[in-house]
């Protein structure tokens, strides 16, 4: 079992920045994949940024060059630095990890970008 707790969401003006944090209850060092996803009402959850153990990072085309995913293995943390935010980035953001053949999700954190 892995528990994930996101934080760092909020209301920001277009062009601003936020950093989302995801605290994991287990060591993330051996987790196969970690990522940030987002969802708006009536739409499916979509990938924002993804990192695999020992592998490259991947980003949705809509956030490339603006968002950066990173990890701190010592603190069991996953971060999403979001710069140059746009109103269309407004969503609930979820942290997700794949570990031991299972997928785990946090409760989500709301990000609202005003124009």
């Amino acid at each position: 079992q892995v528990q994930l707790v996101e934080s760092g969401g909020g209301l920001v003006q277009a062009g601003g920045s936020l950093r989302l944090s995801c605290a994991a209850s287990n060591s993330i060092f051996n987790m196969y994949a970690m990522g940030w996803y987002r969802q708006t009402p009536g739409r499916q959850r979509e990938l924002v940024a993804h990192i695999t153990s020992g592998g490259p990072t991947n980003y949705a085309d809509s956030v490339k060059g603006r968002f950066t995913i990173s990890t701190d293995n010592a603190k069991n943390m996953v971060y999403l630095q979001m710069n140059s935010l746009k109103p269309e980035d407004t969503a609930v953001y979820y942290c997700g990890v794949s570990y031991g053949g299972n997928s785990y999700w946090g409760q989500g954190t709301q990000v609202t970008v005003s124009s």
Side-chain angles (χ1 to χ4, degrees), residues 84-99:
S84 302
L85 282 161
K86 304 175 181 181
E88 51 263 44
D89 294 318
T90 295
V92 177
Y93 283 71
Y94 296 90
C95 175
V97 300
S98 295
Y99 179 69

Side-chain angles (χ1 to χ4, degrees), residues 2-6 35-38 45 94-97 103-108:
V2 177
Q3 293 181 326
L4 304 170
V5 179
E6 301 100 334
W36 287 95
Y37 301 76
R38 66 188 181 188
R45 193 171 297 184
Y94 296 90
C95 175
V97 300
S103 296
Y104 300 90
W105 299 95
Q107 82 289 348

Side-chain angles (χ1 to χ4, degrees), residues 20-112:
L20 303 184
S21 300
C22 174
S25 61
N26 300 49
S27 170
I28 66 172
F29 183 76
N30 291 318
M31 290 188 182
Y32 177 71
M34 295 157 281
W36 287 95
Y37 301 76
R38 66 188 181 188
Q39 189 170 22
T40 54
R43 301 188 66 177
Q44 287 189 333
R45 193 171 297 184
E46 64 175 5
L47 173 70
V48 175
H50 185 257
I51 182 168
T52 56
S53 179
T57 55
N58 295 296
Y59 296 92
D61 288 343
S62 60
V63 307
K64 283 181 181 177
R66 300 188 297 122
F67 291 11
T68 303
I69 187 171
S70 63
T71 62
D72 185 331
N73 292 344
K75 297 181 178 179
N76 296 333
M77 297 290 293
V78 184
Y79 302 102
L80 184 68
Q81 179 65 45
M82 305 186 294
N83 298 327
S84 302
L85 282 161
K86 304 175 181 181
E88 51 263 44
D89 294 318
T90 295
V92 177
Y93 283 71
Y94 296 90
C95 175
V97 300
S98 295
Y99 179 69
N102 297 308
S103 296
Y104 300 90
W105 299 95
Q107 82 289 348
T109 185
Q110 176 70 47
V111 171
T112 302

